[in-house]
Amino acid sequence: MGGRRTDDFEAFVDARGPRLLRVAWLLTGDAHLAEDLLQTVLARVWPKWHKIADGEPEAYIRKALVHTHASWWRRRWRGEVPHGELPDRAASFDAYEGVEQEEALAAAVRALPVRQRSVVVLRYFEDLSVEETAKVLGCAPGTVKSQASKALRALRAVVPEPVRMPDE
C-alpha cells in the first residue's frame, strides 16, 4: 500500500508540479518563496494522499496553496519596501520587448491584497470558473466577482495597455 501511494504521489507531482509551482509563484511573486510554498503544501498533503488522491487532488492542493500563502502573508512584516533607481541603460535593440510591461503587471498583481490576488490567479491564470474559484476560496460567487472587478480595476490603473503573454 505504501509503495503504491508513493508512486501515485510522485507521478502526480511529476505531472502537475510545474503548473502548481507557477500558481505558487503567481501568489508569492518570488521563485524561492514559491518553491517553499509548494514544498510546504506537498509535505502537508502527503500524509493525507490516500484520502484525496481519488477525488480532485489538484484542486485540493491549489486551495491549500492559496490558504497557506494567505497565512504566510498575514504573518509577514511589511514595514519596509525595498526600492531604488535603476541604472541608465544604453539605447539598443530590445530583444525582450514587452518584458518591462509584463514585469509591471507582475508587480501590480503582487501589490494586490491577498484575496484579490488569489482571485486573479485562480480565475485568469488557472482559468477556473467563478463557482470553482468560490469553492477554492470558501466564499460566495458574488465575492469572487466583486474581488475580480476590484483587482482588474487596480491592474488597469497600473498597466493600462493589454499585455500579451509569451505563448500567445
Side-chain angles (χ1 to χ4, degrees), residues 61-82:
I61 292 172
R62 193 182 303 120
K63 184 174 184 174
L65 285 169
V66 169
H67 288 277
T68 303
H69 174 257
S71 71
W72 284 7
W73 189 86
R74 281 190 293 267
R75 280 189 235 136
R76 191 179 88 200
W77 179 64
R78 290 177 297 280
E80 182 179 347
V81 180

Side-chain angles (χ1 to χ4, degrees), residues 99-151:
V99 170
E100 290 174 358
Q101 188 179 29
E102 289 176 25
E103 287 177 351
L105 179 60
V109 169
R110 287 190 303 273
L112 291 172
V114 174
R115 188 71 157 206
Q116 290 178 17
R117 185 183 329 165
S118 298
V119 167
V120 167
V121 169
L122 294 173
R123 283 283 291 132
Y124 303 108
F125 178 75
E126 281 294 294
D127 201 26
L128 297 182
S129 69
V130 171
E131 291 75 19
E132 291 168 328
T133 303
K135 184 177 176 184
V136 168
L137 296 176
C139 64
T143 302
V144 171
K145 292 176 187 177
S146 69
Q147 293 296 306
S149 175
K150 290 175 186 176

Side-chain angles (χ1 to χ4, degrees), residues 19 22 102 125 164-168:
R19 179 79 178 187
R22 283 189 294 266
E102 289 176 25
F125 178 75
R164 276 197 42 205
M165 295 309 287
D167 60 333
E168 289 181 339

